[in-house]
Amino acid sequence: MTVQDNCFYLGISRMSYYRWKKNVTKDHPKRHSEKQIDALCRKHKYRYGYHKITVLLKRKFALTIKRFNV
């Protein structure tokens, strides 16, 4: 299947696909934080909630909660 076929089936334009692809491949500043959150959640077997994960992240990095807002 071509990109054009896939876009047709998904109901999006090719331009939207290529814009999405360009943004996904960029090294976004939140990606590192997201990986750290994922690692902490896995390490603690998803038992910790939002507040505990935030405390653990703050121990490693200087960050605020607003950093994770979209």
Side-chain angles (χ1 to χ4, degrees):
M1 290 190 116
T2 65
V3 170
Q4 185 173 1
D5 292 337
N6 288 331
C7 291
F8 175 76
Y9 290 119
L10 293 173
I12 60 171
S13 66
R14 284 187 308 153
M15 185 190 318
S16 295
Y17 167 75
Y18 285 113
R19 186 180 322 125
W20 169 81
K21 185 178 176 182
K22 181 177 126 184
N23 288 333
V24 167
T25 56
K26 281 186 188 176
D27 189 25
H28 197 275
K30 288 186 180 179
R31 295 234 197 297
H32 180 69
S33 299
E34 290 170 356
K35 288 179 184 178
Q36 293 296 322
I37 292 169
D38 185 51
L40 284 172
C41 289
R42 288 175 190 257
K43 179 180 177 184
H44 298 287
K45 299 179 183 176
Y46 299 96
R47 293 183 188 138
Y48 289 169
Y50 159 79
H51 293 288
K52 184 66 175 182
I53 295 294
T54 303
V55 169
L56 293 173
L57 282 173
K58 282 184 178 182
R59 288 181 186 168
K60 287 186 173 185
F61 308 104
L63 57 90
T64 64
I65 301 308
K66 291 181 181 180
R67 179 173 178 175
F68 295 106
N69 292 343
V70 176

